[in-house]
Structures are given as structure tokens and as C-alpha cells.
Amino acid sequence: DAKVAKPAPAPNTIKYGLNQVTSCVEQKKAKLVVIAHDVEPVELVVWLPTLCRKMNVPYIIVKGKSRLGEVVHKKTATCLAITSVDAGDVTSLASIAASA
């Protein structure tokens, strides 16, 4: 009798970087997009809120790209996309997304 291993559930992920966030939004995998306010040059992310509105993905703009970098263990990050959360955090994410 061989025991069959169940596949592990997909891990909760945060995608960062403009290209990965863009593809997550376009594929509608992103649950929430977080954009830094101090991206230089601003033309890099100025179109991202429009894309999020078009794809019905909630987004928020936060102070400081260094704060976003701390989340993903980098020096800075221009934007993040939250793709999944734990079952206990779904209501928190929904309330943040509703206020975004």
C-alpha cells in the first residue's frame, strides 16, 4: 500500500515589480495593487491606476517605495500585487479593497 501524497496548496504570494504586477492585473490574478507615491520618474506608474480601473482591480497609493521594499525584502519596490491571502484574512482584504 503506497500512500498518495496530496499536493500542497498554492502559497500566498505578493508579486512585485512593474512587469509582474502588470501581468497579474491583466490576467485578473491580483486581488489588490499597492503603488508607491514617490516613484521617479512618475511616468513609470502613472498608467497603472487606469489599468486597474479598467480591469476592476482595487488599488491603493501608499507613502514611500522603501516601505513597499520592506514587504518583499528589497531596498525599494515601485508596486506590489497581492494575489492571495489566508482564509482568515479574506475579510480584511475585502474591507481594504472596498475602501480603495
Side-chain angles (χ1 to χ4, degrees):
D1 289 317
K3 293 184 179 181
V4 178
K6 293 181 183 178
N12 297 328
T13 57
I14 296 178
K15 300 290 185 181
Y16 66 97
L18 206 50
N19 288 338
Q20 283 199 349
V21 170
T22 302
S23 64
C24 282
V25 171
E26 288 173 344
Q27 296 169 5
K28 295 194 177 190
K29 290 183 179 178
K31 304 279 190 270
L32 178 68
V33 173
V34 185
I35 306 167
H37 87 289
D38 58 347
V39 177
E40 192 64 35
V42 74
E43 287 82 9
L44 291 174
V45 295
V46 76
W47 51 270
L48 196 52
T50 306
L51 178 66
C52 289
R53 275 190 233 110
K54 179 182 174 188
M55 303 301 277
N56 293 322
V57 175
Y59 69 93
I60 56 174
I61 298 174
V62 297
K63 186 174 181 179
K65 60 185 177 183
S66 61
R67 287 182 179 181
L68 293 184
E70 287 178 16
V71 175
V72 293
H73 306 292
K74 298 288 181 189
K75 189 174 179 181
T76 60
T78 57
C79 53
L80 305 175
I82 299 173
T83 58
S84 62
V85 294
D86 288 330
D89 298 328
V90 171
T91 56
S92 299
L93 180 65
S95 66
I96 292 171
S99 64

